[in-house]
Coordinates of all heavy atoms in Angstrom, one line a residue:
M1 N 75.2 134.7 113.4 CA 76.4 134.1 113.9 C 77.1 135.0 114.8 O 77.2 136.2 114.5 CB 77.3 133.6 112.8 CG 76.7 132.4 112.1 SD 77.5 131.7 110.6 CE 79.1 131.8 110.8
S2 N 77.8 134.4 115.8 CA 78.5 135.3 116.8 C 79.9 135.6 116.3 O 80.3 135.0 115.3 CB 78.5 134.7 118.2 OG 79.4 133.5 118.0
R3 N 80.5 136.6 116.8 CA 81.8 137.0 116.4 C 82.8 135.9 116.7 O 83.8 135.7 115.9 CB 82.3 138.3 117.2 CG 81.5 139.5 116.6 CD 82.3 140.7 117.3 NE 81.3 141.6 117.8 CZ 81.5 142.8 118.3 NH1 82.7 143.2 118.3 NH2 80.4 143.5 118.6
V4 N 82.6 135.2 117.6 CA 83.6 134.1 118.0 C 83.5 133.0 117.0 O 84.5 132.5 116.5 CB 83.3 133.4 119.4 CG1 84.1 132.3 119.7 CG2 83.4 134.6 120.6
T5 N 82.4 132.6 116.5 CA 82.2 131.6 115.5 C 82.8 132.1 114.2 O 83.4 131.4 113.5 CB 80.7 131.3 115.2 OG1 80.1 131.0 116.5 CG2 80.5 130.3 114.3
I6 N 82.5 133.4 113.9 CA 83.2 133.9 112.6 C 84.7 133.9 112.7 O 85.4 133.6 111.7 CB 82.6 135.3 112.3 CG1 81.1 135.2 111.9 CG2 83.3 136.1 111.2 CD1 80.4 136.6 111.8
L7 N 85.2 134.4 113.8 CA 86.6 134.4 114.0 C 87.2 133.1 114.0 O 88.3 132.8 113.3 CB 86.9 135.1 115.3 CG 88.5 135.4 115.6 CD1 89.1 136.2 114.6 CD2 88.6 135.9 117.0
A8 N 86.7 132.0 114.6 CA 87.1 130.7 114.6 C 87.1 130.1 113.2 O 88.0 129.4 112.7 CB 86.2 129.8 115.4
S9 N 85.9 130.5 112.4 CA 85.9 130.0 111.0 C 87.1 130.6 110.2 O 87.7 129.8 109.3 CB 84.7 130.3 110.4 OG 83.6 129.7 111.2
K10 N 87.3 131.9 110.3 CA 88.4 132.5 109.5 C 89.8 132.0 109.9 O 90.6 131.7 109.1 CB 88.4 134.0 109.8 CG 87.3 134.7 109.1 CD 87.3 136.2 109.3 CE 86.2 136.9 108.6 NZ 86.3 138.4 108.8
A11 N 90.0 131.7 111.2 CA 91.2 131.0 111.8 C 91.4 129.7 111.1 O 92.5 129.4 110.7 CB 91.3 131.0 113.3
L12 N 90.4 128.9 111.1 CA 90.4 127.5 110.4 C 90.8 127.6 109.0 O 91.6 126.9 108.5 CB 89.1 126.8 110.6 CG 89.0 125.4 110.1 CD1 90.1 124.4 110.8 CD2 87.6 124.8 110.3
V13 N 90.0 128.5 108.3 CA 90.3 128.7 106.8 C 91.7 129.1 106.7 O 92.5 128.7 105.7 CB 89.3 129.6 106.2 CG1 89.8 130.0 104.8 CG2 87.9 129.0 106.1
G14 N 92.3 130.1 107.4 CA 93.6 130.5 107.3 C 94.6 129.4 107.6 O 95.7 129.4 106.9
A15 N 94.4 128.6 108.7 CA 95.3 127.6 109.0 C 95.3 126.6 107.7 O 96.5 126.1 107.4 CB 94.8 126.9 110.3
L16 N 94.2 126.3 107.2 CA 94.2 125.3 106.1 C 95.0 125.8 104.9 O 95.6 125.1 104.2 CB 92.7 125.0 105.7 CG 92.0 124.1 106.6 CD1 90.5 123.9 106.2 CD2 92.7 122.7 106.7
G17 N 94.8 127.2 104.7 CA 95.5 127.9 103.6 C 97.1 127.8 103.9 O 97.8 127.4 102.9
V18 N 97.5 127.9 105.1 CA 98.9 127.9 105.4 C 99.4 126.5 105.2 O 100.5 126.2 104.6 CB 99.2 128.3 106.8 CG1 100.7 127.9 107.3 CG2 98.9 129.8 106.9
V19 N 98.7 125.4 105.6 CA 99.0 123.9 105.4 C 99.2 123.7 103.9 O 100.1 123.0 103.5 CB 98.1 123.1 106.2 CG1 98.3 121.6 105.8 CG2 98.2 123.3 107.7
Y20 N 98.2 124.1 103.2 CA 98.2 123.8 101.7 C 99.4 124.4 101.1 O 100.1 123.9 100.2 CB 96.9 124.3 101.1 CG 96.8 124.2 99.5 CD1 96.7 122.8 99.1 CD2 97.2 125.2 98.7 CE1 96.7 122.6 97.7 CE2 97.1 124.9 97.3 CZ 96.8 123.7 96.9 OH 96.8 123.5 95.5
T21 N 99.7 125.7 101.4 CA 100.8 126.5 100.9 C 102.1 125.8 101.3 O 103.0 125.5 100.3 CB 100.9 127.9 101.3 OG1 99.6 128.4 101.0 CG2 102.1 128.6 100.7
V22 N 102.3 125.3 102.5 CA 103.6 124.7 102.9 C 103.7 123.4 102.2 O 104.7 123.0 101.7 CB 103.6 124.5 104.5 CG1 104.7 123.5 104.9 CG2 103.7 125.8 105.1
F23 N 102.6 122.6 102.0 CA 102.6 121.3 101.3 C 103.0 121.6 99.9 O 103.8 120.8 99.3 CB 101.2 120.6 101.5 CG 101.3 119.2 100.8 CD1 101.9 118.2 101.4 CD2 100.6 119.1 99.5 CE1 101.9 116.9 100.7 CE2 100.6 117.8 98.9 CZ 101.3 116.8 99.5
S24 N 102.5 122.5 99.2 CA 102.7 122.8 97.8 C 104.3 123.1 97.6 O 104.8 122.8 96.6 CB 101.9 124.0 97.3 OG 100.6 123.6 97.3
V25 N 104.8 123.9 98.5 CA 106.2 124.2 98.5 C 107.1 123.0 98.7 O 108.1 122.8 98.0 CB 106.5 125.4 99.4 CG1 108.0 125.7 99.6 CG2 105.8 126.7 99.0
I26 N 106.8 122.3 99.7 CA 107.7 121.1 100.1 C 107.7 120.0 99.1 O 108.6 119.3 98.8 CB 107.4 120.7 101.5 CG1 107.7 121.8 102.5 CG2 108.1 119.4 101.9 CD1 107.3 121.5 103.9
S27 N 106.4 119.8 98.6 CA 106.3 118.4 97.7 C 107.2 118.5 96.4 O 107.4 119.7 95.9 CB 104.8 118.3 97.3 OG 104.4 119.3 96.5
P28 N 107.8 117.4 96.1 CA 108.6 117.4 94.9 C 107.9 117.6 93.6 O 106.8 117.3 93.4 CB 109.3 115.9 95.0 CG 108.3 115.1 95.7 CD 107.6 116.0 96.6
G29 N 108.7 118.1 92.6 CA 108.1 118.4 91.3 C 107.9 117.1 90.5 O 108.4 116.1 91.0
E30 N 107.4 117.2 89.3 CA 107.2 116.1 88.4 C 108.5 115.4 88.1 O 108.6 114.1 88.2 CB 106.4 116.4 87.2 CG 105.1 116.9 87.4 CD 104.3 115.7 87.9 OE1 104.5 114.5 87.4 OE2 103.4 115.8 88.7
E31 N 109.5 116.2 87.7 CA 110.8 115.5 87.4 C 111.4 114.8 88.6 O 112.0 113.6 88.4 CB 111.8 116.6 87.0 CG 111.4 117.3 85.7 CD 111.8 118.7 85.6 OE1 112.6 119.1 86.5 OE2 111.4 119.4 84.7
R32 N 111.3 115.4 89.8 CA 111.8 114.7 90.9 C 111.0 113.4 91.3 O 111.6 112.4 91.7 CB 111.8 115.6 92.2 CG 112.3 115.0 93.4 CD 113.8 114.8 93.5 NE 114.2 114.4 94.8 CZ 115.1 113.4 94.9 NH1 115.7 112.8 94.0 NH2 115.3 113.0 96.2
K33 N 109.8 113.4 91.0 CA 108.9 112.3 91.3 C 109.3 111.1 90.3 O 109.4 110.0 90.7 CB 107.5 112.5 91.1 CG 106.8 113.4 92.2 CD 105.4 113.7 91.9 CE 104.7 114.6 93.0 NZ 103.4 114.9 92.7
K34 N 109.5 111.4 89.0 CA 110.0 110.4 88.1 C 111.4 109.9 88.4 O 111.6 108.6 88.4 CB 110.1 111.1 86.7 CG 108.7 111.3 86.1 CD 108.8 112.0 84.8 CE 107.4 112.3 84.2 NZ 107.5 113.0 82.9
E35 N 112.2 110.7 89.0 CA 113.5 110.2 89.3 C 113.4 109.3 90.6 O 114.2 108.2 90.6 CB 114.5 111.4 89.8 CG 115.8 111.1 90.2 CD 116.6 112.4 90.7 OE1 116.4 113.4 90.1 OE2 117.4 112.2 91.6
L36 N 112.6 109.6 91.5 CA 112.4 108.8 92.7 C 111.8 107.4 92.3 O 112.2 106.4 92.9 CB 111.5 109.5 93.7 CG 112.1 110.7 94.4 CD1 111.0 111.4 95.2 CD2 113.1 110.3 95.4
I37 N 110.8 107.5 91.3 CA 110.2 106.2 90.9 C 111.3 105.3 90.3 O 111.3 104.0 90.5 CB 109.0 106.5 90.0 CG1 107.9 107.0 90.8 CG2 108.6 105.2 89.3 CD1 106.7 107.6 90.0
Q38 N 112.2 105.9 89.5 CA 113.2 105.1 88.8 C 114.2 104.5 89.8 O 114.8 103.5 89.5 CB 114.0 105.9 87.8 CG 113.1 106.3 86.5 CD 113.9 107.2 85.6 OE1 114.9 107.7 85.9 NE2 113.2 107.4 84.5
N39 N 114.4 105.0 90.9 CA 115.3 104.5 91.9 C 114.7 103.6 92.9 O 115.4 103.3 93.9 CB 116.0 105.8 92.5 CG 116.9 106.5 91.6 OD1 117.4 105.9 90.7 ND2 117.1 107.8 91.8
F40 N 113.5 103.2 92.8 CA 112.9 102.3 93.7 C 113.6 101.0 93.7 O 114.1 100.6 92.6 CB 111.4 102.0 93.4 CG 110.5 103.1 93.9 CD1 109.2 103.2 93.4 CD2 110.8 103.8 95.0 CE1 108.4 104.2 93.9 CE2 109.8 104.8 95.5 CZ 108.7 105.0 94.9
P41 N 113.8 100.3 94.7 CA 114.4 98.9 94.8 C 113.7 98.0 93.7 O 114.4 97.1 93.1 CB 114.3 98.5 96.1 CG 114.1 99.6 97.0 CD 113.4 100.6 96.2
E42 N 112.5 98.1 93.5 CA 111.7 97.3 92.6 C 112.1 97.4 91.2 O 111.8 96.7 90.3 CB 110.2 97.4 92.8 CG 109.7 97.0 94.3 CD 109.8 97.9 95.2 OE1 110.2 99.3 94.9 OE2 109.7 97.6 96.5
A43 N 112.7 98.6 90.9 CA 113.1 98.9 89.5 C 114.4 98.1 89.1 O 114.6 97.9 88.0 CB 113.4 100.4 89.3
N44 N 115.1 97.6 90.1 CA 116.3 96.8 89.8 C 115.9 95.4 89.7 O 115.5 94.7 90.7 CB 117.3 97.0 91.0 CG 118.6 96.3 90.8 OD1 118.7 95.4 90.0 ND2 119.6 96.6 91.6
P45 N 116.0 94.7 88.6 CA 115.6 93.3 88.3 C 116.3 92.3 89.2 O 115.7 91.3 89.8 CB 115.9 93.0 86.9 CG 116.2 94.3 86.3 CD 116.6 95.3 87.3
V46 N 117.6 92.5 89.5 CA 118.3 91.6 90.5 C 117.8 91.7 91.8 O 117.5 90.7 92.5 CB 119.9 91.9 90.4 CG1 120.6 91.0 91.4 CG2 120.4 91.8 89.0
R47 N 117.6 92.9 92.4 CA 116.9 93.1 93.7 C 115.6 92.6 93.8 O 115.3 91.9 94.8 CB 117.0 94.6 94.0 CG 116.4 95.0 95.3 CD 117.4 95.2 96.4 NE 116.7 95.5 97.6 CZ 116.8 96.7 98.3 NH1 117.5 97.7 97.8 NH2 116.2 96.8 99.4
M48 N 114.8 92.8 92.7 CA 113.4 92.3 92.7 C 113.4 90.7 92.8 O 112.6 90.1 93.5 CB 112.7 92.7 91.5 CG 111.2 92.6 91.6 SD 110.6 93.5 93.0 CE 108.9 92.9 92.8
E49 N 114.3 90.1 92.0 CA 114.4 88.7 92.0 C 114.8 88.1 93.4 O 114.3 87.1 93.9 CB 115.4 88.1 91.0 CG 115.4 86.6 90.8 CD 114.1 85.9 90.5 OE1 113.3 86.6 89.8 OE2 113.8 84.9 91.1
D50 N 115.8 88.8 94.0 CA 116.2 88.5 95.4 C 115.0 88.5 96.3 O 114.8 87.6 97.3 CB 117.3 89.3 95.9 CG 118.6 89.0 95.3 OD1 118.7 87.8 94.6 OD2 119.6 89.7 95.4
T51 N 114.2 89.6 96.2 CA 113.1 89.8 97.1 C 112.0 88.7 96.9 O 111.4 88.2 97.8 CB 112.4 91.1 96.8 OG1 113.4 92.1 97.0 CG2 111.1 91.4 97.7
R52 N 111.8 88.3 95.7 CA 110.9 87.2 95.4 C 111.3 85.9 95.9 O 110.5 85.1 96.5 CB 110.7 87.1 93.8 CG 109.8 88.1 93.2 CD 109.5 87.8 91.7 NE 108.8 88.8 91.1 CZ 109.2 89.7 90.1 NH1 110.3 89.5 89.7 NH2 108.5 90.6 89.6
R53 N 112.6 85.6 95.7 CA 113.2 84.4 96.3 C 113.0 84.3 97.8 O 112.6 83.3 98.4 CB 114.6 84.3 95.9 CG 115.3 83.0 96.4 CD 116.8 82.9 96.0 NE 117.5 84.1 96.4 CZ 118.0 84.3 97.6 NH1 117.8 83.5 98.5 NH2 118.7 85.3 97.8
R54 N 113.3 85.6 98.5 CA 113.2 85.6 99.9 C 111.8 85.4 100.4 O 111.5 84.7 101.4 CB 113.8 86.9 100.4 CG 113.9 86.9 102.0 CD 114.5 88.2 102.5 NE 113.9 89.4 101.9 CZ 114.6 90.2 101.1 NH1 115.7 89.9 100.6 NH2 114.0 91.3 100.5
N55 N 110.8 86.0 99.7 CA 109.4 85.8 100.0 C 108.9 84.5 99.8 O 108.2 83.9 100.7 CB 108.6 86.8 99.2 CG 108.7 88.3 99.6 OD1 109.2 88.6 100.6 ND2 108.3 89.2 98.7
A56 N 109.5 83.8 98.9 CA 109.1 82.4 98.6 C 109.6 81.5 99.7 O 108.9 80.7 100.2 CB 109.6 81.9 97.3
L57 N 110.8 81.8 100.1 CA 111.4 81.0 101.3 C 110.7 81.2 102.6 O 110.4 80.3 103.4 CB 112.9 81.4 101.5 CG 113.9 80.9 100.4 CD1 115.2 81.7 100.6 CD2 114.0 79.5 100.5
V58 N 110.3 82.4 102.9 CA 109.5 82.8 104.0 C 108.2 82.1 104.0 O 107.7 81.5 105.0 CB 109.3 84.4 104.2 CG1 108.3 84.7 105.3 CG2 110.6 85.0 104.5
M59 N 107.4 82.2 102.9 CA 106.2 81.6 102.8 C 106.3 80.0 102.9 O 105.5 79.4 103.6 CB 105.5 81.9 101.4 CG 105.0 83.3 101.3 SD 104.0 83.9 102.7 CE 102.5 82.8 102.4
Q60 N 107.3 79.3 102.3 CA 107.5 77.9 102.5 C 107.8 77.6 103.9 O 107.2 76.6 104.5 CB 108.6 77.4 101.6 CG 108.7 75.9 101.5 CD 107.4 75.2 101.1 OE1 106.8 75.6 100.2 NE2 107.2 74.2 101.8
S61 N 108.6 78.3 104.6 CA 108.9 78.2 106.1 C 107.6 78.3 106.8 O 107.4 77.5 107.8 CB 110.0 79.0 106.5 OG 111.2 78.8 105.9
L62 N 106.8 79.3 106.6 CA 105.6 79.5 107.3 C 104.6 78.3 107.1 O 103.9 77.9 108.0 CB 104.9 80.8 106.9 CG 105.5 82.0 107.5 CD1 104.9 83.2 106.8 CD2 105.6 82.1 108.9
K63 N 104.6 77.8 105.9 CA 103.7 76.6 105.6 C 104.2 75.4 106.3 O 103.4 74.6 106.9 CB 103.6 76.3 104.2 CG 102.9 77.3 103.3 CD 102.9 77.0 101.8 CE 102.2 78.1 101.0 NZ 102.4 77.9 99.5
D64 N 105.5 75.2 106.3 CA 106.1 74.0 107.0 C 105.9 74.2 108.5 O 105.5 73.2 109.2 CB 107.6 74.0 106.8 CG 108.0 73.7 105.3 OD1 107.1 73.2 104.6 OD2 109.2 73.8 105.0
A65 N 106.0 75.4 109.1 CA 105.7 75.6 110.5 C 104.3 75.4 110.9 O 104.0 74.8 111.8 CB 106.2 76.9 110.9
A66 N 103.4 75.8 109.9 CA 102.0 75.6 110.2 C 101.5 74.2 110.1 O 100.6 73.7 110.9 CB 101.1 76.4 109.2
E67 N 102.2 73.4 109.3 CA 101.8 71.9 109.2 C 102.4 71.1 110.3 O 102.0 70.0 110.6 CB 102.3 71.3 107.8 CG 101.6 72.0 106.7 CD 102.2 71.7 105.4 OE1 103.3 71.0 105.4 OE2 101.6 72.0 104.3
D68 N 103.5 71.6 110.9 CA 104.2 70.9 112.0 C 103.4 71.1 113.3 O 103.1 72.2 113.7 CB 105.6 71.4 112.2 CG 106.5 70.4 112.9 OD1 106.0 69.4 113.5 OD2 107.6 70.7 113.0
S69 N 103.1 70.0 114.1 CA 102.4 70.1 115.3 C 103.3 70.4 116.4 O 102.8 70.7 117.6 CB 101.6 68.7 115.6 OG 102.5 67.6 115.6
D70 N 104.5 70.3 116.2 CA 105.4 70.6 117.4 C 105.8 72.1 117.3 O 106.4 72.6 116.4 CB 106.8 69.8 117.1 CG 107.8 70.0 118.2 OD1 107.4 70.5 119.3 OD2 109.0 69.7 118.0
L71 N 105.3 72.8 118.4 CA 105.4 74.2 118.4 C 106.9 74.7 118.5 O 107.3 75.6 118.0 CB 104.7 74.8 119.6 CG 103.2 74.9 119.4 CD1 102.5 75.4 120.7 CD2 102.9 75.8 118.3
D72 N 107.7 73.9 119.2 CA 109.2 74.2 119.4 C 109.8 74.1 118.0 O 110.6 75.0 117.6 CB 109.9 73.3 120.3 CG 109.5 73.5 121.7 OD1 109.1 74.6 122.1 OD2 109.6 72.5 122.5
R73 N 109.5 73.2 117.2 CA 110.0 73.0 115.9 C 109.5 74.2 115.0 O 110.3 74.8 114.2 CB 109.6 71.7 115.2 CG 109.9 71.6 113.7 CD 111.4 71.4 113.5 NE 111.6 71.3 112.1 CZ 112.4 72.1 111.4 NH1 113.2 73.0 112.0 NH2 112.7 72.0 110.1
A74 N 108.3 74.7 115.2 CA 107.7 75.8 114.4 C 108.5 77.1 114.7 O 108.9 77.9 113.8 CB 106.2 75.9 114.7
F75 N 108.8 77.3 116.0 CA 109.5 78.5 116.4 C 110.9 78.4 115.9 O 111.6 79.4 115.5 CB 109.4 78.7 117.9 CG 108.1 79.1 118.4 CD1 107.5 78.5 119.5 CD2 107.5 80.3 117.9 CE1 106.3 78.9 119.9 CE2 106.3 80.7 118.3 CZ 105.7 80.0 119.4
E76 N 111.6 77.3 115.9 CA 112.9 77.1 115.4 C 112.9 77.5 113.9 O 113.9 78.2 113.5 CB 113.4 75.6 115.7 CG 114.8 75.4 115.2 CD 115.7 76.0 116.1 OE1 115.5 76.4 117.3 OE2 117.0 76.3 115.7
V77 N 112.0 77.0 113.2 CA 111.9 77.3 111.7 C 111.8 78.8 111.5 O 112.5 79.4 110.7 CB 110.8 76.6 111.0 CG1 110.5 77.2 109.7 CG2 111.0 75.2 110.9
A78 N 110.9 79.5 112.4 CA 110.7 81.0 112.2 C 112.0 81.7 112.6 O 112.3 82.8 111.9 CB 109.5 81.3 113.1
R79 N 112.7 81.3 113.6 CA 113.9 82.0 114.1 C 115.1 81.9 113.2 O 115.9 82.7 113.0 CB 114.2 81.6 115.5 CG 113.5 82.4 116.6 CD 114.2 82.0 118.0 NE 114.1 80.6 118.2 CZ 113.3 80.0 119.1 NH1 112.6 80.8 119.9 NH2 113.3 78.8 119.3
N80 N 115.2 80.6 112.6 CA 116.5 80.3 111.9 C 116.2 80.1 110.4 O 116.9 79.3 109.8 CB 117.2 79.2 112.5 CG 117.6 79.5 114.0 OD1 118.0 80.6 114.2 ND2 117.3 78.5 114.8
G81 N 115.3 80.7 109.8 CA 114.9 80.5 108.4 C 116.1 81.1 107.5 O 117.0 81.8 107.9
P82 N 116.0 80.7 106.3 CA 117.1 81.1 105.3 C 117.1 82.6 105.1 O 118.0 83.0 104.5 CB 116.7 80.2 104.0 CG 115.2 79.9 104.2 CD 115.0 79.9 105.7
W83 N 116.1 83.3 105.5 CA 116.1 84.8 105.2 C 116.8 85.5 106.3 O 116.9 86.8 106.2 CB 114.7 85.3 105.1 CG 113.9 85.0 106.4 CD1 113.8 85.7 107.4 CD2 113.1 83.9 106.7 NE1 113.0 85.3 108.4 CE2 112.6 84.0 107.9 CE3 112.8 82.7 105.9 CZ2 111.8 83.0 108.5 CZ3 112.0 81.7 106.6 CH2 111.5 81.9 107.8
V84 N 117.2 84.9 107.4 CA 117.7 85.5 108.6 C 119.2 85.9 108.3 O 120.0 85.1 107.8 CB 117.8 84.6 109.9 CG1 118.4 85.3 111.0 CG2 116.3 84.3 110.2
C85 N 119.5 87.2 108.5 CA 120.8 87.7 108.2 C 121.8 87.4 109.5 O 121.4 87.5 110.6 CB 120.9 89.3 108.1 SG 120.0 89.8 106.6
R86 N 122.9 86.8 109.2 CA 123.9 86.6 110.2 C 125.2 87.2 109.8 O 125.8 87.0 108.7 CB 124.1 85.0 110.3 CG 122.8 84.3 110.8 CD 123.1 82.8 110.9 NE 121.9 82.1 111.4 CZ 120.9 81.8 110.6 NH1 121.0 81.9 109.3 NH2 119.9 81.1 111.1
K87 N 125.8 88.0 110.7 CA 127.1 88.6 110.6 C 127.1 89.4 109.3 O 128.1 89.4 108.6 CB 128.2 87.6 110.6 CG 128.4 86.9 111.9 CD 129.5 85.9 111.9 CE 129.5 85.0 113.1 NZ 130.5 84.0 113.1
G88 N 126.0 90.1 109.0 CA 126.0 91.0 107.9 C 125.9 90.3 106.5 O 125.8 91.0 105.6
H89 N 125.7 89.1 106.5 CA 125.5 88.4 105.3 C 124.2 87.6 105.3 O 123.9 87.0 106.2 CB 126.6 87.4 105.0 CG 128.0 87.9 104.9 ND1 128.3 89.3 105.0 CD2 129.3 87.4 104.7 CE1 129.6 89.5 104.9 NE2 130.1 88.5 104.8
Q90 N 123.6 87.6 104.0 CA 122.3 86.8 104.0 C 122.6 85.5 103.3 O 123.4 85.3 102.5 CB 121.3 87.7 103.1 CG 120.0 87.2 103.3 CD 119.0 88.1 102.6 OE1 119.4 89.1 102.0 NE2 117.7 87.9 102.8
K91 N 121.9 84.5 103.9 CA 122.1 83.1 103.3 C 121.7 83.1 101.9 O 120.8 83.7 101.4 CB 121.2 82.2 104.3 CG 121.9 81.5 105.3 CD 121.2 80.5 105.9 CE 121.9 79.5 106.6 NZ 121.1 78.6 107.2

């Protein structure tokens, strides 16, 4: 092997070592990970129920729009569905 190949290989291994070290230092510890998991929006039952209700409304509106042969009506349903926020409040 030539010196260039050996030097390039050492540089690559060195760069990978630096990346691994930086990632190890930056990544959160186990306690921080548990804290983050507890604070997910899905951990809040009220928020999760709101998300399920909104998803059901979106799916029903999409089904209604897909069954409707009038494209203008389908776009109207998509633009003005019950999930659309208006003036900072959700319907």
Side-chain angles (χ1 to χ4, degrees):
M1 288 178 32
S2 71
R3 283 191 230 188
V4 174
T5 306
I6 293 172
L7 185 61
S9 299
K10 286 182 179 183
L12 180 63
V13 169
L16 289 175
V18 169
V19 169
Y20 178 77
T21 303
V22 169
F23 182 75
S24 297
V25 170
I26 292 175
S27 64
E30 288 297 319
E31 293 146 9
R32 178 72 177 136
K33 286 179 186 178
K34 288 178 183 178
E35 180 184 330
L36 289 171
I37 289 172
Q38 289 176 351
N39 292 330
F40 278 156
E42 292 84 11
N44 182 347
V46 174
R47 174 105 185 243
M48 193 62 185
E49 185 56 38
D50 287 345
T51 301
R52 284 190 184 111
R53 183 181 50 81
R54 185 174 54 251
N55 286 346
L57 289 170
V58 169
M59 290 306 295
Q60 186 59 45
S61 295
L62 288 173
K63 287 177 186 175
D64 293 345
E67 292 171 355
D68 197 350
S69 62
D70 183 14
L71 285 178
D72 289 333
R73 171 74 180 121
F75 287 129
E76 184 70 22
V77 167
R79 273 192 299 252
N80 298 319
W83 61 87
V84 177
C85 291
R86 293 183 181 87
K87 296 182 184 175
H89 299 359
Q90 194 167 7
K91 268 186 158 179

